[in-house]
Amino acid sequence: MTVRHLLASIGLCLLYIGQAIASDVTGYVVGGTPVKPSQDYSWMASIRLSSNQLSHTCGGTVVNQRWVLTAAHCVVRQGDDGKFIVIPPSQLSVMVGTTSSVVEDVATLYAVSHVVVYPKYSPQIILKETLQPDGSMLTEVISTALENDLALLRVDKPFSVNINHVALATDKDADELDIQLGLQWSDKERPENTKVSGWGSTQTNGGGVSKRLLEAKLSFVPMDECFTRLELGNDAHYIIDSPMNRTKICTLPPSVIFDSDGNSLEFGSDSCKGDSGGPLRAQNELGEWVQFGIVSGGPIGKLVCGSLVRPSFYTRIGTYYPWILSIVGSIPEKPVTKPDFITAEESSSTSPEGSTDDSGGDAESGSVTGSGGNTGSGDGKEDELVNSDCNLNSSGISHNNCNLKSASGGASAWGVILLMIIACWARCGAGIREG
């Protein structure tokens, strides 16, 4: 079996949601504390499966009167035939305005009218193998795990006036936070400079679901450090493509959790299974808490979540901020906007044998427009309620829906890049730790 086939098989097993999606996708925060009713978390959303008694499947955040931001892998699943599909709006609901994971008031439920998946979303690791003149095989990673993992859901009616909107980190915010939080990193004294929230289990094996919304403080890990911990020594990079990656954000537990007798439990606070799609937040230069990332994934080992040394990764919102604005500013002309890889598969299956079909777009292109290509962002009609203002060498990778925790890519200012290069050089000079 080739490396490509092996990885494909692992990917299919780990990313498969299928008919058991309700039990495979559950939300929780390991080591979290309950959010108090007095705290305003009305922007926190629970994505529900209508087809399975409205069971909680993922987290999300309200970005305006009609739209909720979540992870793409929360709404893209693989069927029994091996093909990926987007869950139709008729099978999805959104619950907001409550800290409970149990449906207690029908007024908190909203039907979904549109599902828009980021065009370049890639759920699986895509490898390209090239036979070399000396007979060896060169393996190139075309797409890392859970790349461009974000999606938007539009509800069929405006959210209640008492539902607030989360503040999203702009591309400028994201650049500043990369530097600000990166300078705070210390492995010996890890800072508590980010927050993650979600529903579900408090167990590191991912079992069970919390009935209350939980929140945990986490440590932001600079990208070069994250790359070192996850990829150093690997022949190919399956999660983070380089120390300068701009598509993902990483975190680690800030400290060890102890039991009531003072014994170390050898794990820490973390996002995990089913927290997928939920928010990672940080304070910008004005002291405002903004959503910096979307829970996406992480490598799994003996502990599904809570590892003190293996970072979890998140979709970097700043990279996709312009795309998000372009989508929530219009009404999609179709109920479902599929990612390019699904559109390409469907096109190839209906095209005459041997023909070439380019309707899926350039699979390696990083440029995306809000209304072009396969974004399905609409017919130009404005939305009437727009707010103006795993390391496979160990055990594999899984998204927070499926034994993993939950990224984006975009250009930043040359000054930001230079500072990150300097920071990377300084840390590397101090020594590299095992990933």
Side-chain angles (χ1 to χ4, degrees):
M1 177 180 290
T2 66
V3 173
R4 178 182 59 193
H5 291 152
L6 174 61
L7 292 177
S9 299
I10 294 174
L12 289 176
C13 293
L14 292 176
L15 295 173
Y16 174 70
I17 300 176
Q19 300 302 316
I21 186 170
S23 60
D24 289 344
V25 183
T26 53
Y28 71 101
V29 173
V30 172
T33 56
V35 171
K36 299 177 182 179
S38 59
Q39 295 174 276
D40 182 11
Y41 277 64
S42 60
W43 43 261
M44 187 74 199
S46 169
I47 313 302
R48 326 288 292 192
L49 277 176
S50 303
S51 58
N52 196 11
Q53 196 59 31
L54 294 173
S55 58
H56 170 82
T57 181
C58 275
T61 49
V62 176
V63 296
N64 72 10
Q65 296 96 321
R66 287 282 191 130
W67 289 90
V68 169
L69 179 64
T70 189
H73 74 258
C74 290
V75 294
V76 176
R77 69 181 185 183
Q78 192 174 24
D80 293 332
D81 59 359
K83 295 181 179 180
F84 285 91
I85 64 168
V86 178
I87 301 176
S90 60
Q91 295 183 25
L92 295 168
S93 298
V94 171
M95 187 168 75
V96 297
T98 176
T99 58
S100 173
S101 66
V102 178
V103 179
E104 298 174 337
D105 185 351
V106 294
T108 62
L109 291 171
Y110 293 80
V112 174
S113 63
H114 297 80
V115 178
V116 180
V117 181
Y118 189 77
K120 303 302 178 184
Y121 167 59
S122 178
Q124 296 175 303
I125 301 165
I126 300 176
L127 303 179
K128 178 181 178 181
E129 292 182 332
T130 305
L131 184 63
Q132 302 299 296
D134 62 358
S136 63
M137 191 70 70
L138 175 65
T139 301
E140 179 184 1
V141 179
I142 303 300
S143 178
T144 57
L146 294 174
E147 191 66 11
N148 306 315
D149 189 13
L150 74 161
L152 285 159
L153 308 181
R154 186 177 187 269
V155 294
D156 67 345
K157 62 181 179 181
F159 290 116
S160 171
V161 292
N162 64 338
I163 301 301
N164 288 323
H165 315 145
V166 73
L168 296 180
T170 65
D171 41 3
K172 181 176 181 291
D173 282 335
D175 289 341
E176 292 173 348
L177 285 169
D178 281 339
I179 297 173
Q180 172 190 324
L181 300 180
L183 292 174
Q184 296 174 11
W185 169 253
S186 168
D187 195 21
K188 293 183 178 180
E189 296 182 8
R190 298 181 182 180
E192 296 181 339
N193 52 10
T194 60
K195 293 181 180 180
V196 67
S197 51
W199 288 272
S201 172
T202 58
Q203 304 171 37
T204 57
N205 64 4
V209 177
S210 173
K211 292 184 178 181
R212 297 177 294 177
L213 178 62
L214 303 177
E215 181 176 73
K217 295 179 180 179
L218 305 176
S219 291
F220 171 86
V221 179
M223 185 50 63
D224 60 302
E225 176 76 10
C226 186
F227 178 84
T228 296
R229 288 175 176 266
L230 296 181
E231 303 291 357
L232 188 64
N234 293 337
D235 293 333
H237 305 147
Y238 302 126
I239 302 177
I240 307 295
D241 60 356
S242 80
M244 301 302 294
N245 178 277
R246 307 292 285 166
T247 71
K248 292 179 171 72
I249 295 169
C250 300
T251 67
L252 277 169
S255 58
V256 180
I257 295 177
F258 294 84
D259 64 18
S260 57
D261 295 325
N263 301 311
S264 171
L265 297 179
E266 299 186 327
F267 65 82
S269 302
D270 199 3
S271 62
C272 198
K273 193 175 179 180
D275 282 331
S276 289
L280 178 72
R281 296 189 300 145
Q283 286 182 294
N284 62 17
E285 289 190 337
L286 299 177
E288 302 165 332
W289 283 96
V290 295
Q291 185 178 352
F292 185 36
I294 303 170
V295 182
S296 179
I300 56 174
K302 183 176 181 180
L303 296 178
V304 173
C305 310
S307 170
L308 299 171
V309 295
R310 291 179 285 108
S312 298
F313 61 82
Y314 305 73
T315 303
R316 185 178 183 274
I317 285 181
T319 302
Y320 305 103
Y321 186 74
W323 178 81
I324 293 171
L325 290 187
S326 71
I327 297 300
V328 302
S330 61
I331 304 174
E333 64 182 18
K334 295 181 180 180
V336 176
T337 302
K338 304 171 184 177
D340 290 349
F341 83 94
I342 292 182
T343 302
E345 288 177 355
E346 293 175 345
S347 298
S348 62
S349 65
T350 57
S351 299
E353 186 175 354
S355 66
T356 301
D357 185 276
D358 294 323
S359 61
D362 182 0
E364 296 185 23
S365 172
S367 61
V368 178
T369 57
S371 57
N374 295 306
T375 62
S377 60
D379 52 8
K381 182 180 179 182
E382 292 186 0
D383 200 329
E384 65 271 28
L385 287 171
V386 174
N387 184 1
S388 61
D389 280 313
C390 293
N391 187 336
L392 290 177
N393 292 333
S394 61
S395 299
I397 300 171
S398 68
H399 34 46
N400 279 355
N401 280 14
C402 187
N403 295 339
L404 143 90
K405 315 163 221 315
S406 199
S408 57
S412 61
W414 284 107
V416 173
I417 293 177
L418 179 60
L419 286 174
M420 292 183 69
I421 291 175
I422 294 173
C424 175
W425 175 82
R427 270 189 292 272
C428 291
I432 296 176
R433 287 165 294 178
E434 177 264 338

